[in-house]
Amino acid sequence: MFFRRFSLIIYALLILIPLLIVVLTSLKTIQETFRNPLGWPESGFQFENYSSIFQEQTMAGYFLNSVIVTLFSVSLTLFFASLIGYGITRLNNWIGNLIFILFTLGMMVPAQVSMVPLYSLMLDLNLTNSLLGLILVNIATTLPIAVFILTGFMKTLPKELFEASTIDGAGNWKIYTKVAIPLSLPSLSATAIFLFVMHWNDLLYPLLFITDNAYKTLPLALLEFQGEYSTNYPMLFTGVIIASAPMVIAYVFLQRYFVAGMTAGAIK
Amino acid sequence: MKTSKSIYLFFLPGLFLYAIFFVYPTISALFYSFTDWDGLSSSFQFVGVENYERAFTGDTVFRKTIGNNLKFMLVVVVFQTLVALAFALIVLKNTKTTIFLRALYFFPTILSSVSVAFIWSFIYDPSLGILNQLLELIGLEFLAQNWLGNANIAIYSLAVTQIWFHAGQMLIIFVAGLQAIPEELYEVAKIEGASKWQTFRNVTWPLLAPSATIVVAYTTIQSFKAFDLVFAMTGGGPNNSTEIVATYIFDIAFRSYQFGYASAISVIFMVIIAIITYLQFKVLRSNRISY
């Protein structure tokens, strides 16, 4: 019993202490960080890092870019994937199966495989340094997992519901919006959170396609702070806090959904 | 019952984007892998299997990256799975405390790789970092290290970071799997007078096997793809000791502009991942137990 409790506390501290250090360091000056890297801020909390990161960086811009890219990527992926899930469920024949397999195969291909040709494609289409380009690539690369989860869920819905609506004369669009979508809300919300975490934190595609500051998202901007501020950890951690804030706030309020969403992709 | 033909329209937007931005580039990777394209000029030559030959025989760095990837994967899969399982067993029952702890352990999963990279770079920092200071405090200063700068150790330092990052997620998968085991089975075991170990061995373990396989499969793939973390923490250094296949592809494509060769490596990478995934799905199938 003692040993169990002891290990639980140790693990909890292993998570909490690094997070506490991040918060405290962001409230120190760089001089103090070097003198007193791990202790409580001696001269009180300094909020200068927060004001100067907004002055030196186009932080609000990065933030807005992240919001735009994430919002459109998540909602459009969900929309298109649920259309496909509904289609596969209703078709229920070899064409549906083929489409399902085509998407599931995509889950096995790591992003690094296609990044080289994708880069030249984006150049040709004039989609580098563009938020639209990021959104399109995000949708294409997360469709496989979203189709996989949503199709799996929609196939468990009772067929009779769809058939009854068809007899009542409802078209596919109407059945999709009035029957399939409302019934799939649990699965949709789990997938939404999974996608939200993925797109908000994505580094690879911004790294490949964005060089112009005006289109950088938070993870890429953060990575480049490393070059700029080097070992100025107060600045780096201030960036970390600003970039993680929306995710952390969402997690506090929607914790149950996060856990469901982040495991849905793995369990299904 | 037949649905109307309009159902095919439902596939259009998704299939269209998927075909252009995913299927086409993936297939062209195969095509470019037989060329000497540099990614910039408009012309290139077909070189047959030269790129593949080079990857398998001439490129010592590539061999090293495969080794690094396997090392990283092995450490993460073994330790992350053990940690996740051990703690899942402790926080299995739903009480206020365990629900809070599960949420806390899960927390790092929602952070971005770049954030985690910064946090752990600070922890590992030879002079500022908490790790060396802690070792000094408990009288083990001879163990103090440049954790990311020492070529013999850096890959394991990254593996520890990866475990901190994702163990909580795997823990939750185990909890879900364990909670699905019917309570009656434990009661039967109790009535039959089974010891704790016997109960674990004969009830928990066989019924846990499916979620264990999922965790192992997921962790393997996740650790094979750990691009962001490595890229942000060490960039593959020192001396290629943390270069993994994913960062290596990035380097040869976008730093030395050998798109053809990078494509060949990425095709090999895809095949390796496909084989691993296939094997794990096979094991997963054979492990499935119904009750």
Side-chain angles (χ1 to χ4, degrees):
Chain A
M1 216 48 216
F2 169 77
F3 181 70
R4 282 179 165 206
R5 222 166 256 175
F6 182 72
S7 11
L8 288 181
I9 293 171
I10 293 289
Y11 192 2
L13 289 178
L14 278 175
I15 308 280
L16 282 171
I17 292 176
L19 299 179
L20 187 68
I21 290 176
V22 170
V23 175
L24 288 181
T25 307
S26 80
L27 298 169
K28 286 178 191 171
T29 61
I30 175 128
Q31 291 82 3
E32 190 179 349
T33 306
F34 278 106
R35 209 175 51 239
N36 167 28
L38 302 170
W40 205 259
E42 284 157 357
S43 43
F45 295 151
Q46 312 284 324
F47 289 94
E48 286 146 42
N49 297 315
Y50 288 85
S51 54
S52 55
I53 208 166
F54 276 98
Q55 272 159 24
E56 286 172 33
Q57 300 287 337
T58 45
M59 208 65 199
Y62 301 144
F63 201 91
L64 188 67
N65 290 339
S66 271
V67 170
I68 293 173
V69 170
T70 306
L71 219 61
F72 281 98
S73 303
V74 172
S75 50
L76 290 173
T77 307
L78 276 182
F79 179 41
F80 296 158
S82 58
L83 284 175
I84 292 168
Y86 175 78
I88 293 173
T89 310
R90 289 314 305 280
L91 265 184
N92 202 18
N93 62 9
W94 67 271
I95 301 175
N97 289 340
L98 189 73
I99 292 174
F100 183 70
I101 290 168
L102 183 67
F103 278 105
T104 15
L105 278 178
M107 290 200 303
M108 283 170 47
V109 182
Q112 284 80 20
V113 170
S114 59
M115 73 180 175
V116 176
L118 186 59
Y119 176 75
S120 59
L121 176 71
M122 298 296 273
L123 277 181
D124 291 343
L125 295 176
N126 238 330
L127 284 173
T128 55
N129 282 323
S130 124
L131 297 183
L132 175 69
L134 280 182
I135 293 168
L136 294 174
V137 171
N138 278 344
I139 297 172
T141 48
T142 46
L143 265 176
I145 182 83
V147 167
F148 186 67
I149 300 175
L150 291 174
T151 309
F153 186 84
M154 287 193 190
K155 281 197 163 171
T156 63
L157 295 175
K159 268 204 190 79
E160 295 75 29
L161 277 175
F162 298 135
E163 287 171 0
S165 318
T166 314
I167 293 167
D168 289 345
N172 273 320
W173 177 250
K174 201 160 184 199
I175 304 176
Y176 165 79
T177 50
K178 295 273 160 34
V179 182
I181 288 298
L183 288 175
S184 304
L185 281 181
S187 176
L188 281 168
S189 62
T191 316
I193 289 195
F194 180 77
L195 294 172
F196 173 49
V197 176
M198 240 174 114
H199 292 314
W200 184 264
N201 291 334
D202 180 45
L203 170 69
L204 182 65
Y205 294 123
L207 183 68
L208 286 177
F209 306 134
I210 309 291
T211 48
D212 187 336
N213 268 333
Y215 303 105
K216 279 177 187 161
T217 56
L218 285 166
L220 178 62
L222 214 53
L223 184 71
E224 292 183 354
F225 286 0
Q226 226 178 0
E228 228 162 300
Y229 302 116
S230 161
T231 53
N232 185 344
Y233 283 105
M235 259 332 214
L236 295 180
F237 286 163
T238 305
V240 165
I241 289 179
I242 294 169
S244 324
M247 199 60 80
V248 174
I249 293 168
Y251 183 62
V252 169
F253 289 105
L254 302 170
Q255 202 197 94
R256 224 155 37 89
Y257 298 94
F258 264 80
V259 170
M262 293 297 286
T263 46
I267 285 180
K268 281 284 160 61
Chain B
M1 176 174 294
K2 272 205 142 13
T3 72
S4 77
K5 289 266 179 287
S6 69
I7 195 75
Y8 290 101
L9 293 174
F10 281 63
F11 298 119
L12 275 186
L15 267 182
F16 178 73
L17 289 181
Y18 186 61
I20 294 185
F21 294 104
F22 194 90
V23 180
Y24 167 73
T26 306
I27 293 172
S28 7
L30 196 62
F31 172 81
Y32 289 128
S33 74
F34 297 106
T35 71
D36 66 351
W37 193 36
D38 63 5
L40 302 168
S41 49
S42 52
S43 68
F44 50 80
Q45 300 246 306
F46 281 96
V47 294
V49 292
E50 205 176 274
N51 288 326
Y52 289 93
E53 242 171 275
R54 179 176 155 203
F56 284 117
T57 57
D59 189 345
T60 50
V61 179
F62 178 55
R63 210 168 305 157
K64 202 169 170 185
T65 61
I66 299 250
N68 289 337
N69 236 330
L70 290 176
K71 260 190 240 171
F72 182 78
M73 185 190 89
L74 213 67
V75 173
V76 172
V77 169
V78 171
F79 289 99
Q80 180 166 293
T81 309
L82 286 178
V83 167
L85 179 58
F87 280 90
L89 287 166
I90 308 183
V91 296
L92 189 56
K93 294 235 162 65
N94 288 336
T95 69
K96 267 206 174 121
T97 322
T98 57
I99 290 172
F100 169 78
L101 285 174
R102 273 184 247 153
L104 180 67
Y105 297 157
F106 185 83
F107 182 84
T109 310
I110 67 162
L111 297 173
S112 72
S113 310
V114 185
S115 301
V116 173
F118 285 1
I119 296 171
W120 279 83
S121 299
F122 188 63
I123 291 175
Y124 287 141
D125 192 292
S127 55
L128 302 174
I130 189 169
L131 189 54
N132 281 351
Q133 297 202 17
L134 200 70
L135 289 170
E136 221 167 290
L137 197 73
I138 55 176
L140 295 172
E141 60 264 28
F142 62 93
L143 286 176
Q145 270 296 338
N146 187 350
W147 298 97
L148 294 173
N150 180 336
N152 296 319
I153 291 181
I155 190 85
Y156 301 106
S157 306
L158 290 173
V160 169
T161 307
Q162 173 79 5
I163 294 171
W164 184 84
F165 196 2
H166 287 295
Q169 191 182 3
M170 301 308 143
L171 184 152
I172 297 286
I173 297 177
F174 273 130
V175 168
L178 287 163
Q179 287 185 340
I181 298 175
E183 198 60 40
E184 301 91 66
L185 289 177
Y186 288 107
E187 280 161 24
V188 172
K190 216 176 187 178
I191 293 166
E192 306 261 312
S195 71
K196 261 195 173 163
W197 168 249
Q198 282 172 324
T199 312
F200 179 80
R201 181 71 199 77
N202 297 311
V203 179
T204 313
W205 181 246
L207 291 169
L208 188 63
S211 38
T213 322
I214 291 169
V215 167
V216 170
Y218 198 71
T219 310
T220 309
I221 301 292
Q222 208 172 37
S223 63
F224 237 95
K225 296 189 207 167
F227 171 86
D228 298 17
L229 205 61
V230 176
F231 191 80
M233 282 181 81
T234 61
N239 194 18
N240 294 326
S241 65
T242 59
E243 191 88 79
I244 58 172
V245 181
T247 54
Y248 188 52
I249 295 172
F250 186 90
D251 277 353
I252 35 185
F254 300 105
R255 295 213 168 113
S256 51
Y257 296 102
Q258 306 174 59
F259 270 42
Y261 186 50
S263 298
I265 302 250
S266 56
V267 171
I268 299 170
F269 187 41
M270 179 161 58
V271 172
I272 294 175
I273 294 208
I275 292 172
I276 292 178
T277 317
Y278 172 76
L279 289 177
Q280 284 172 337
F281 268 95
K282 245 182 107 173
V283 177
L284 182 71
R285 285 263 159 83
S286 65
N287 259 345
R288 201 166 271 169
I289 287 177
S290 46
Y291 51 85

